[in-house]
Amino acid sequence: MKIIDDYGSQILEAFWTTIQLTIFSAIGALILGVIIAAVRVSPVPVARFLGAAYVTVFRNTPLTLILLFCVFGLYQTLDISLASTSSSTFVIDNNFRLAILGLSVYTASFVCESIRAGINTVHAGQAEAGRSLGLTFLQNLRLIVLPQAFRAVIAPLGSVLIALTKNSTVAAVIGVSEASKLMKEILENEAALFLTAGIFAVGFVILTLPTGLLFGKLAKKFEVAR
């Protein structure tokens, strides 16, 4: 197990970076996805069009292109940075945060569609009852519709989170030192293809399997009886 001895600490650091990418991107995608879902079911036609356009564009754009745009478009062309330029780790921090931004805006389109599907499961009479009580669209959405919608889409959101964990490997294209980038470096230096691939495969199973089991149990626990 020479690879474990030589690269053990680096492997743990790489997977910790993957975990951080997943957590921060999931938070950003959830917030943005809820907002876009609200826009997509808005009574304003222009808002619905903009929401649909966002989902269509980002769901059909390769994640690699989105991340490359974040670096070459936002940072190098528009000079928009997300880290302090005076920091000695500016490039590392900036690329890491740009990766979070790219993963968030990409994943938000899938979160939006999952939540919108959950909104469609809520009986229209409940929203009408809210309006009859004088609730505004946003109040109706926040107090009546979304709580029920979330209960209906726990499992799909879990699938989106698992996909996000695996998609975080694409961050390697902009130099983020996560698991897949380290795996590539090890493969270039060591003649142990199957062992190296096996170690990282097990690592990703350890990350994703508990997520699937947890969301599966939560879905059963909070399932809405129809």
Side-chain angles (χ1 to χ4, degrees):
M1 298 298 286
K2 181 176 179 295
I3 291 179
I4 298 295
D5 294 335
D6 294 344
Y7 297 96
S9 61
Q10 295 181 54
I11 291 173
L12 291 177
E13 290 178 6
F15 273 106
W16 174 236
T17 300
T18 295
I19 292 171
Q20 289 179 300
L21 279 173
T22 301
I23 292 174
F24 291 127
S25 300
I27 293 172
L30 181 61
I31 294 172
L32 185 56
V34 170
I35 294 173
I36 299 169
V39 170
R40 289 215 65 184
V41 298
S42 167
V44 181
V46 174
R48 292 199 301 270
F49 171 78
L50 292 176
Y54 179 97
V55 171
T56 301
V57 169
F58 282 97
R59 285 188 70 177
N60 293 284
T61 301
L63 178 56
T64 302
L65 292 182
I66 294 174
L67 293 179
L68 290 175
F69 172 79
C70 288
V71 173
F72 296 109
L74 295 181
Y75 172 55
Q76 295 190 7
T77 303
L78 301 178
D79 199 27
I80 298 175
S81 61
L82 301 180
S84 173
T85 55
S86 61
S87 173
S88 60
T89 58
F90 166 71
V91 174
I92 296 174
D93 293 342
N94 191 53
N95 286 353
F96 178 78
R97 292 170 187 175
L98 287 173
I100 291 174
L101 175 63
L103 287 166
S104 296
V105 297
Y106 175 78
T107 308
S109 61
F110 296 90
V111 172
C112 166
E113 289 302 274
S114 295
I115 294 175
R116 189 169 73 95
I119 291 174
N120 290 335
T121 66
V122 179
H123 196 280
Q126 298 194 37
E128 293 173 0
R131 286 193 295 270
S132 69
L133 293 173
L135 297 180
T136 64
F137 168 74
L138 291 178
Q139 289 174 329
N140 209 349
L141 199 65
R142 178 170 58 88
L143 298 175
I144 298 176
V145 178
L146 280 180
Q148 298 180 72
F150 272 112
R151 292 179 64 180
V153 296
I154 292 175
L157 287 178
S159 298
V160 172
L161 180 59
I162 291 173
L164 172 60
T165 303
K166 293 183 287 186
N167 287 340
S168 66
T169 59
V170 183
V173 301
I174 60 173
V176 178
S177 299
E178 45 71 60
S180 69
K181 186 172 186 291
L182 178 61
M183 183 179 72
K184 180 181 178 183
E185 293 174 359
I186 294 176
L187 289 175
E188 291 174 349
N189 298 327
E190 305 289 340
L193 172 62
F194 293 107
L195 177 59
T196 302
I199 291 172
F200 283 88
V202 169
F204 276 99
V205 168
I206 291 173
L207 291 182
T208 57
L209 184 59
T211 302
L213 294 175
L214 174 62
F215 276 81
K217 288 185 177 180
L218 290 175
K220 291 181 180 178
K221 181 177 179 180
F222 296 104
E223 184 179 8
V224 179
R226 298 295 178 186

